[in-house]
Amino acid sequence: MPLNFYECFGHPLDSPGLGVAFRAKGCPFVGGTCTKTFSNGIINGACTLVNPTNGVPVPCCPKRLYGDGFRVLEDVVSAAWGHGIPLVPQGYEVPSSGSFVIPFGQKQGQEIRIAYKELKGASKFSIDWILAKVDENRNLEGFVAVEVQTIDTTGNYKRPFHDLAALYEPALAKTMVIPKSKGSSLNFENVNKRILPQLITKGHVLRREPLCTKGLFFICPSAVHDRIMTRVGKLDDYPIQSGSVTFLSYSVDKDSGAVPKSLILDHTTTTTTDQLSLAFSSPKYLPPQGVYEDAIRKALLKRFEIK
C-alpha cells in the first residue's frame, strides 16, 4: 500500500490552515521555502509520511526534527552538560555570565568542515551540527557533534500530493500528469547501509578530539532507531564519554493540538563507537542457515519444470 501524507508544510491533513500553507510553500521549522521536491521540481512539502497499514507517522525531512524551536538540540545540550546550560542560536543575546552553547549548522553561523585526510585536495568532512560550549569570556570549553537523519522512500507519493493539490491549488494540479497508482514505502535498509558506516567513521574521528569529551549524538525518528537496533542487536549501555555514540529518537505526538505538532523523545541510548562497529560487522539477527540453498533449489525446480 502506498505512503500517504501525515504532515504537509508543517500541517496535519485535518488542519484548517493547510490550504494557506500549501500555497505559501514555506518551511515552518527553519524558515524560507520548503526544499522537499519531486524530480520534476515541484515542491511537495512532505514533512511526515504514514504507512496506512500501521498508521505510524514517520518524519521524512530532517528539518521536521527541528520543530519546537530546535528542541532536539536543547535535549543534546542537557544530555551532554546537564540542565541549565542555555543554547544560544544566531540572533539571540549571549548571556552575561556563565557557560552557554553556540550551535553551528542549519542556518546557524558557518558550516564547520574539515579535510578528511591530510592531503592536498582531499574531500571535506562535515557533520550536521557542532554545538560549542563556551565560558562567559567566550573561550571554547568543549563541543559535541550531532548528526540528524530521517528516512528515505522507495517509489513515490505523487498521487496523494496530486489529491492535495486538487483541493488546495487546482492550477498546480492541472499541470501535473496524474500518476498511476504505484506502491511506495519507507527505505529503512538504506539507513542501515549508509548511515551506520558514517556514524562509525565520524565517531572515530571525534574520539581523537581532546575537547569532544561527550562524543557523537545521533537524532532520528523512533521508527529508524528501532530498525537500527533490530539490525545491530542489543547494544551494551555506556555512560556518555569520549568515543560514545548517543541515539536520541523522536516521534510526532499524534495527540498534540499544536501546529506543527510537538515531538516526543522516546529513547535515549548510549553506546561506544567500538561497540557499534562490532555490532554492525557482526549482526545478530540473521536468516536461518541454509536459507539460500532452499531458495536456489526451489528456483531450479521452477526453471526445469516440464511445461
Side-chain angles (χ1 to χ4, degrees), residues 239-261:
I240 293 175
Q241 59 186 277
S242 177
S244 64
V245 180
T246 299
F247 295 81
L248 298 179
S249 66
Y250 295 83
S251 60
V252 175
D253 184 359
K254 295 195 289 186
D255 296 326
S256 171
V259 178
K261 290 180 177 292

Side-chain angles (χ1 to χ4, degrees), residues 65-86:
L65 295 178
Y66 302 143
D68 303 327
F70 290 95
R71 168 265 179 99
V72 294
L73 298 185
E74 294 179 348
D75 288 345
V76 171
V77 172
S78 296
W81 295 297
H83 298 286
I85 306 294

